[in-house]
Amino acid sequence: MLPFWLRLRVCKPGRRGFRLWFPVILIWIILGALLIAFFPLVLLAALITWRNGSGRFLLFLYPMLAAVLWNLSGLHIEAKDDENDVLIDFA
């Protein structure tokens, strides 16, 4: 399932920091429109470069991108160092 929210939290130890909730669904709508608009160009480029072998990669580009985006849901990244704590969470 595509994630609908991105939660970003950056804070310093002992301080409050800031939190940001971003609706990622807006990015998916724009990305979907761009993918549909560029599909004929990608298909044409795949047909032209089929003999070189890179045409097959161009044809599999859309399913690979969909698989990566579909599996972002539940991704949880935490990074800590001496100065900052960063949390990125796709929900």
Side-chain angles (χ1 to χ4, degrees):
M1 181 158 106
L2 286 173
F4 292 111
W5 292 97
L6 169 76
R7 181 175 61 150
L8 175 67
R9 185 183 66 185
V10 178
C11 63
K12 293 184 178 187
R15 294 195 172 193
R16 185 172 175 187
F18 72 92
R19 294 179 182 161
L20 176 68
W21 284 80
F22 185 74
V24 186
I25 189 72
L26 300 174
I27 294 175
W28 301 147
I29 292 170
I30 294 169
L31 184 64
L34 287 173
L35 287 174
I36 290 170
F38 285 117
F39 184 70
L41 297 174
V42 171
L43 189 59
L44 181 64
L47 291 174
I48 291 172
T49 60
W50 188 260
R51 288 183 181 237
N52 296 343
S54 60
R56 187 172 295 176
F57 171 75
L58 287 173
L59 283 180
F60 288 131
L61 185 67
Y62 275 70
M64 285 188 298
L65 182 63
V68 167
L69 294 177
W70 194 264
N71 289 311
L72 275 178
S73 184
L75 179 66
H76 183 87
I77 301 171
E78 288 189 45
K80 297 181 182 183
D81 63 4
D82 295 336
E83 296 181 13
N84 295 316
D85 294 340
V86 178
L87 167 73
I88 302 171
D89 187 24
F90 287 93

